[in-house]
Amino acid sequence: MISAAYVLLVYEESAARLGPEDRIEEGERLRLVDRVVRDLVVGPGAERFTGSADDAVLWTRGCFGDFEAAAEADVRGVDTLHHATALLDAMRHRARLSETELDALLERAVSLVEEGLGSEDLTRPQVRDGQVGPWDVSELARETVRADRIDLGALRIPVVPGMRIRPEGIDLPAEDGQACAVTLSLLGTFLQLQVFGTSEDIRWDRIRGELMTKLAARGGDARETVGQLGPEIRCTVPGGPSGEEPVAVRFVGCDGPGWMLRGVLTGVGAHADVLPEQARQAFLRTVVDTRHTTALPEGGLLLSWPPSSGWDETRTPLFD
């Protein structure tokens, strides 16, 4: 609610600077929002905001729907209730809102949030709908969001702020080899990605029942549901240090032309009804390339390691 109220004020001030007759593209509008925020941070009333002007711009852009900015703000530790409250207070000071006007603003913000929740936008499946991936390599011309990616042969993994990476199936630190999967560490969520060549028996809409049976055989409690990435399985299985503690695991998947991409989530992302945005974007922006791949007996496709595009561990570090 606080963030929504702040966004309303920033949007209205930027619109006021445009004037009623001005027409402006979205990129220019965001740059105007940036100027509003930078002016705000250096002006009176913003003393409680302890970050920089760049931090405020990142966080604000995230509130306006810029995923990369939101993820970077999260990595920097800017995305906090204290900072949100401080920026709202500064905007209130700038707009000279009375207590009554502030109450009315908060009521508008609540209405907007409730409207968003009621529309089910947060939970509506968005997988391979022509606007988002995961993508086949042949579809890159249709991709609406460009991303830097780590080339692992059969998979090209998007670089997400704060991400760490680990190959599965080979020892670290391996100079070269072939991995069967890759795990991404995303700020408390772990996402393991594995790609399969499809056949009559290997498709996400077919293997979920088999997976449920296997989980039950391991003593797990599994249920199938529909989330942001379509049909998924949520379960708890025995694990942890003792091997008996209940561990939450979430399975997501997607069928593409000649392949199936499966994601296994543990940590924060296995519990939340709404997926952490870093994990969601890492899955949706992944590109599958089956043109030059080697298949394992169970249908999984081997990944190349290290990445063919080279490695910059300072940007995307490995983890054990």
Side-chain angles (χ1 to χ4, degrees):
M1 180 178 68
I2 291 174
S3 300
Y6 167 73
V7 167
L8 276 172
L9 283 179
V10 171
Y11 182 85
E12 288 171 357
E13 175 160 340
S14 62
R17 292 190 184 188
L18 286 175
E21 302 300 326
D22 289 334
R23 295 183 178 181
I24 190 168
E25 294 182 356
E26 190 61 27
E28 286 297 322
R29 183 179 297 279
L30 281 176
R31 283 188 281 274
L32 179 56
V33 167
D34 291 350
R35 291 198 294 272
V36 169
V37 175
R38 290 184 183 280
D39 291 346
L40 174 70
V41 173
V42 299
E47 295 81 5
R48 291 174 55 201
F49 184 77
T50 57
S52 66
D54 287 342
D55 291 336
V57 167
L58 276 175
W59 183 77
T60 304
R61 277 189 167 238
C63 291
F64 275 85
D66 184 331
F67 160 71
E68 297 291 350
E72 183 63 31
D74 195 6
V75 170
R76 292 191 188 187
V78 181
D79 188 9
T80 66
L81 179 61
H82 172 80
H83 280 150
T85 304
L87 287 173
L88 174 60
D89 193 51
M91 278 303 304
R92 174 196 175 187
H93 186 279
R94 168 76 65 83
R96 299 180 181 178
L97 295 185
S98 66
E99 290 291 339
T100 300
E101 289 169 328
L102 178 61
D103 289 341
L105 172 69
L106 293 174
E107 287 180 4
R108 290 166 56 204
V110 168
S111 296
L112 284 175
V113 171
E114 289 177 344
E115 181 180 340
L117 292 173
S119 70
E120 299 182 349
D121 284 342
L122 292 175
T123 57
R124 184 173 62 245
Q126 293 179 320
V127 183
R128 290 188 57 76
D129 62 358
Q131 299 297 317
V132 299
W135 303 98
D136 186 77
V137 68
S138 65
E139 300 171 326
L140 285 183
R142 292 169 46 197
E143 184 190 9
T144 56
V145 179
R146 303 298 181 218
D148 293 333
R149 293 184 173 91
I150 302 169
D151 187 351
L152 301 179
L155 288 181
R156 300 181 189 177
I157 307 297
V159 177
V160 175
M163 183 178 87
R164 297 182 294 160
I165 190 169
R166 178 181 70 201
E168 303 295 343
I170 59 177
D171 294 330
L172 282 176
E175 292 186 0
D176 55 61
Q178 291 181 313
C180 62
V182 63
T183 298
L184 311 179
S185 174
L186 300 158
L187 303 177
T189 294
F190 295 89
L191 170 62
Q192 184 181 107
L193 295 172
Q194 187 171 12
V195 62
F196 299 81
T198 55
S199 65
E200 184 177 344
D201 297 324
I202 303 179
R203 294 193 66 80
W204 183 237
D205 59 3
R206 291 182 62 90
I207 70 166
R208 293 195 302 274
E210 298 175 12
L211 184 55
M212 295 268 286
T213 300
K214 291 179 180 178
L215 291 168
R218 290 181 53 192
D221 179 15
R223 63 185 177 92
E224 186 172 345
T225 185
V226 177
Q228 293 163 280
L229 300 178
E232 62 179 45
I233 294 172
R234 297 192 193 185
C235 67
T236 55
V237 295
S242 68
E244 299 296 331
E245 301 171 15
V247 176
V249 184
R250 185 176 195 167
F251 295 84
V252 297
C254 176
D255 293 318
W259 50 262
M260 180 192 77
L261 179 66
R262 188 182 72 186
V264 183
L265 292 129
T266 54
V268 175
H271 297 275
D273 287 336
V274 177
L275 275 174
E277 190 65 6
Q278 287 89 344
R280 191 177 76 90
Q281 292 290 340
F283 188 83
L284 293 179
R285 294 186 182 182
T286 291
V287 173
V288 178
D289 184 356
T290 62
R291 293 175 300 177
H292 309 288
T293 56
T294 301
L296 295 166
E298 66 273 17
L301 303 181
L302 286 172
L303 309 180
S304 60
W305 192 270
S308 60
S309 55
W311 190 253
D312 181 4
E313 191 172 342
T314 61
R315 183 180 186 191
T316 310
L318 298 168
F319 73 101
D320 294 329

